[in-house]
Amino acid sequence: MLKRISEDIRTGLALDPAARNGFELILTTQGIHAVWCYRVAHKLWSGKFFTLARLVSNWAKLWSGIEIHPAAKIGRRFVIDHGNGVVIGATAVIGDDVLVYHQVTLGGNQNTKEKRHPTIGNHVVLGAGAKVIGNISVGNGSSIGANAVVTKAVPANSIVVGTNQIRSRAPKTDDTYTI
């Protein structure tokens, strides 16, 4: 657990140019607080202490303005920068090295107990206000632009802007895909 905390601090310092040192990051960054509370809540959820897990999650939401369901699965080096209004649903899966800005929603589009939230690959950036909705995948190395609304799968190494355009980052291509 201490290795993970240290890793979170190093990653936060690397990705947040406003953070001057680890001590300041620990005391003042709501994103790191929400991620640490999520990790505790997720352990409780995995141990079938569902109500206690939800209490920790709700406390973190009140304190940080970031709502992460304890059943979500989140990888390593996950950073939430300026996190107010971030919502991550129960069946969301997030890979390693993901950067999320404020007002991002990883939401569902159906009222079932099945997988209904997105799967986010590794090395993905989710811009401010992005909404990724439904049981879809965002491929590794992709970036979702600010205020984009994504309801269809995104190939790896893509850039998504607006509501209907994906631009591939692959070399020698200038294709735009409709989602």
Side-chain angles (χ1 to χ4, degrees):
M1 185 71 152
L2 289 177
K3 286 182 183 180
R4 275 280 179 100
I5 290 170
S6 177
E7 184 176 63
D8 287 337
I9 293 167
R10 285 191 312 274
T11 304
L13 288 171
L15 295 178
D16 185 356
R20 296 179 301 181
N21 59 60
F23 185 69
E24 180 181 279
L25 188 79
I26 291 167
L27 291 179
T28 65
T29 305
Q30 65 192 28
I32 207 163
H33 299 154
V35 170
W36 289 345
C37 287
Y38 154 77
R39 290 208 181 119
V40 170
H42 184 71
K43 281 263 192 221
L44 291 166
W45 188 270
S46 298
K48 301 196 185 309
F49 296 100
F50 302 120
T51 303
L52 188 54
R54 293 295 301 267
L55 286 170
V56 170
S57 177
N58 281 330
W59 180 80
K61 178 175 62 173
L62 288 171
W63 187 30
S64 69
I66 298 167
E67 181 177 351
I68 306 173
H69 194 283
K73 294 181 175 111
I74 299 176
R76 295 173 61 186
R77 296 173 301 279
F78 176 63
V79 174
I80 302 172
D81 192 9
H82 302 292
N84 276 347
V86 169
V87 177
I88 300 172
T91 63
V93 177
I94 301 172
D96 296 334
D97 303 299
V98 173
L99 175 60
V100 172
Y101 289 96
H102 61 281
Q103 298 293 318
V104 166
T105 298
L106 302 180
N109 61 358
Q110 52 187 314
N111 189 17
T112 67
K113 292 190 183 243
E114 300 166 357
K115 174 93 168 97
R116 62 191 181 280
H117 298 97
T119 298
I120 308 298
N122 299 323
H123 306 284
V124 172
V125 176
L126 300 171
K131 309 299 181 227
V132 185
I133 308 297
N135 182 12
I136 62 171
S137 294
V138 175
N140 294 337
S142 293
S143 293
I144 309 299
N147 294 316
V149 178
V150 182
T151 59
K152 295 183 182 169
V154 175
N157 301 310
S158 296
I159 299 171
V160 179
V161 295
T163 57
N164 290 322
Q165 297 192 9
I166 300 174
R167 184 163 302 274
S168 173
R169 287 189 191 179
K172 298 182 185 176
T173 183
D174 197 25
D175 298 333
T176 299
Y177 304 93
T178 302
I179 57 171

